[in-house]
Amino acid sequence: CLGAIQDVLNPAGVQVLVLNVRYSEIGEEQAIQTLLGYHPEAMIVAGVDQTERSRQLLKNAGVPVVQTMDVTDTPIDLNIGLDHAAACAAAVHYLYEQGHRRIAHLTARGDPRARRRHAGYRRAMERHGLERQIRIIEGAYTIDAGARAARALLAEPDWRPSAVFASNDMTAIGLINEAMRMGLSVPGDLSVVGYDDVTLAGTETLSLSTIHQSAGDLASAGIAAMMARLALGLDMDRDLG
């Protein structure tokens, strides 16, 4: 997302100031206050989980504000994003339609988008009457975390999944590598669906089934809406997500 923003705005002569708060709500408040001190012409924030103070700071800034990566029913101004819960529910439904009932989920701690994906998984499992089959392992978005999750899931003597939905492709890749090291066939013995559609997921040797998410497309759409607001001064639709 950041790279796409810079790729579009820098050639146009627009200076981009970036602060990374690593999902810290207090850090985001401080970052917003700091950036507003530079009197920006517009603001782009990742996610929709701002505190009430952050929301008020942005509402009172008097400039276009774009919330990206997620969608919300209560946008601050412009909202361009993806419904992560719905996307993940669709992945579980796909696995269910393929005949799977023991579907596990790998998620990450501290990431609001991971929480939405988790909610989509749980909602879909419950909709299909699979509450007793819900298995969730928390970790991180890394190959090593996926390998650890595989060892934990596949070692259970009384419950072994036939499918796993991972909320990140790197986690899914780690899971697949470890499952194959343990002698399992993927997808013969274990089906895996990831999330993000990273370049590695589409390689011929891996060919991971995954949910496509283009941070570049989201960023470009957000920038287009922001630039239109700046150029035309129009009162655009407040929810473009």
Side-chain angles (χ1 to χ4, degrees), residues 94-110:
Y94 167 78
L95 290 169
Y96 181 87
E97 290 291 299
Q98 298 300 308
H100 296 287
R101 299 297 181 266
R102 292 186 173 185
I103 305 170
H105 177 49
L106 308 187
T107 186
R109 301 183 184 92

Side-chain angles (χ1 to χ4, degrees), residues 24 34 92 112 115 127 155 195:
S24 166
T34 297
V92 173
R115 290 197 294 270
R127 180 180 301 142
Y195 198 110

Side-chain angles (χ1 to χ4, degrees), residues 29-239:
E29 287 182 3
Q30 295 169 343
I32 290 169
Q33 199 161 24
T34 297
L35 291 172
L36 290 176
Y38 288 94
H39 305 290
E41 294 182 72
M43 295 279 289
I44 299 175
V45 293
V48 297
D49 296 288
Q50 289 74 34
T51 65
E52 186 57 35
R53 182 166 181 268
S54 289
R55 290 178 64 87
Q56 288 304 315
L57 285 169
L58 293 168
K59 284 181 178 180
N60 296 334
V63 300
V65 175
V66 182
Q67 292 167 291
T68 188
M69 302 304 294
D70 293 288
V71 292
T72 176
D73 293 330
T74 57
I76 295 169
D77 187 15
L78 302 169
N79 180 209
I80 309 286
L82 177 68
D83 189 334
H84 296 272
C88 295
V92 173
H93 178 69
Y94 167 78
L95 290 169
Y96 181 87
E97 290 291 299
Q98 298 300 308
H100 296 287
R101 299 297 181 266
R102 292 186 173 185
I103 305 170
H105 177 49
L106 308 187
T107 186
R109 301 183 184 92
D111 182 344
R113 283 179 284 284
R115 290 197 294 270
R116 289 184 175 86
R117 296 169 194 176
H118 174 185
Y121 161 80
R122 183 175 290 275
R123 185 175 69 201
M125 293 290 283
E126 291 172 350
R127 180 180 301 142
H128 289 300
L130 301 176
E131 296 92 337
R132 296 172 64 87
Q133 302 299 332
I134 290 175
R135 294 292 190 282
I136 298 166
I137 292 190
E138 291 188 348
Y141 286 163
T142 66
I143 288 177
D144 286 345
R148 288 193 296 271
R151 290 192 291 271
L153 278 173
L154 301 177
E156 288 193 41
D158 300 324
W159 194 95
R160 173 177 283 190
S162 65
V164 177
F165 167 58
S167 61
N168 174 270
D169 282 346
M170 301 313 290
T171 310
I173 291 168
L175 174 85
I176 291 171
N177 289 343
E178 186 65 16
M180 294 177 68
R181 191 192 66 79
M182 297 170 70
L184 298 180
S185 168
V186 178
D189 298 318
L190 181 70
S191 293
V192 180
V193 174
Y195 198 110
D196 279 336
D197 195 14
V198 299
T199 302
L200 185 59
T203 58
E204 186 175 349
T205 54
L206 185 61
S207 190
L208 171 67
S209 297
T210 182
I211 295 173
H212 177 70
Q213 174 184 234
S214 174
D217 288 346
L218 292 175
S220 296
I223 290 168
M226 178 191 74
M227 298 300 282
R229 173 73 64 80
L230 288 170
L232 302 176
L234 295 177
D235 185 16
M236 298 172 63
D237 189 334
R238 296 179 67 86
D239 186 2

